[in-house]
Amino acid sequence: EVQLLESGGDLVQPGGSLRLSCAASGFPFSSYSMNWVRQAPGKGLEWVSVISGGGEITYYADSVRGRFTISRDNSENTLSLQMNSLRAEDTAVYYCAAHYSHARFDYWGQGTLVTVSS
Amino acid sequence: QSALAQPRSVSGSPGQSVTISCTGTSSDVGAYNHVSWYQQHPGKAPKVMIYDVSERPSGVPDRFSGSKSGNTASLTISGLQAEDEADYYCCSYGRTYNVFGEGTKLTVL
């Protein structure tokens, strides 16, 4: 059974930092590109970042580039998102999602809530 | 990175068909056949229903179908059922990698 389990969501002050993790199991993790997708309360989905299966290639949405860093550890089957200089507009449920081909997110986690507020 | 344009809401009665549009640009929807559709029930993670414009993952009913013309992709749900009531999002690969649609709330009357 495929499982993606996010953790690390919390309440953080504007300007602060947070690190999210996603533990994967049940599929060949290193064969899949991994993404972070977020959803602000009551809003739509927003793609945040992607990392290739081997970890060599990364892309970011304009809204987070320079503040967020995606990484993965294929020996531990884990995905991470380091979030710095957090803003109120970063408040959202953050999902990790695996894709085998472009724009096709086959597997999703249950999400972890990040709240940026003073 | 503007979100792809979708109608805010659509509705239909059980047994009817509905179509949800997804309009992008020549840099995303119009440029690649990597358009997918996601169903999201309240409080749940999204689920892929269509990928590569018109392909259905195993387990997705054939009542769900996808198509594309120019910069606009479409999701058609035929034989509407109560459990189809959900939010639907399109997603396209493009110049800025991936972009989602604004989302459409489907109400089954």
Side-chain angles (χ1 to χ4, degrees):
Chain A
E1 180 192 5
V2 170
Q3 281 198 329
L4 291 171
L5 187 61
E6 302 94 337
S7 60
D10 205 347
L11 171 63
V12 61
Q13 292 190 341
S17 298
L18 204 58
R19 187 176 183 87
L20 305 183
S21 295
C22 172
S25 62
F27 67 101
F29 182 70
S30 62
S31 297
Y32 281 71
S33 293
M34 295 298 297
N35 298 257
W36 288 99
V37 176
R38 68 185 181 184
Q39 186 168 36
K43 302 298 184 181
L45 300 172
E46 180 187 12
W47 174 78
V48 173
S49 182
V50 63
I51 185 167
S52 60
E56 313 90 349
I57 301 171
T58 59
Y59 291 99
Y60 298 90
D62 289 345
S63 57
V64 306
R65 187 176 296 114
R67 300 186 299 123
F68 289 11
T69 302
I70 191 171
S71 61
R72 66 189 295 160
D73 183 341
N74 286 345
S75 67
E76 297 286 336
N77 284 6
T78 58
L79 172 74
S80 297
L81 185 68
Q82 177 66 41
M83 304 186 295
N84 298 330
S85 303
L86 283 162
R87 306 166 180 168
E89 54 264 36
D90 295 319
T91 294
V93 172
Y94 284 73
Y95 294 99
C96 64
H99 88 247
Y100 192 74
S101 64
H102 293 312
R104 175 187 173 179
F105 301 101
D106 296 287
Y107 309 128
W108 294 74
Q110 86 293 341
T112 187
L113 177 62
V114 173
T115 303
V116 183
S117 175
S118 55
Chain B
Q1 287 173 325
S2 299
L4 306 175
Q6 295 183 232
R8 184 176 295 270
S9 64
V10 298
S11 63
S13 299
Q16 290 186 332
S17 294
V18 295
T19 296
I20 301 171
S21 62
C22 169
T23 301
T25 69
S26 57
S27 295
D28 38 61
V29 175
Y32 304 95
N33 286 326
H34 294 302
V35 178
S36 53
W37 290 89
Y38 298 85
Q39 177 190 68
Q40 186 181 35
H41 288 109
K44 301 294 187 181
K47 173 187 175 182
V48 61
M49 306 302 284
I50 295 287
Y51 67 95
D52 290 350
V53 176
S54 59
E55 299 297 316
R56 262 188 322 273
S58 60
V60 173
D62 60 7
R63 302 185 294 103
F64 292 83
S65 62
S67 62
K68 190 185 85 167
S69 178
N71 296 340
T72 298
S74 299
L75 172 71
T76 298
I77 308 171
S78 58
L80 269 179
Q81 298 182 4
E83 58 262 35
D84 298 334
E85 184 162 298
D87 293 325
Y88 290 84
Y89 296 90
C90 60
C91 181
S92 177
Y93 175 75
R95 183 179 54 81
T96 55
Y97 208 83
N98 290 318
V99 59
F100 280 96
E102 298 161 324
T104 298
K105 181 175 180 57
L106 168 62
T107 300
V108 180
L109 301 171

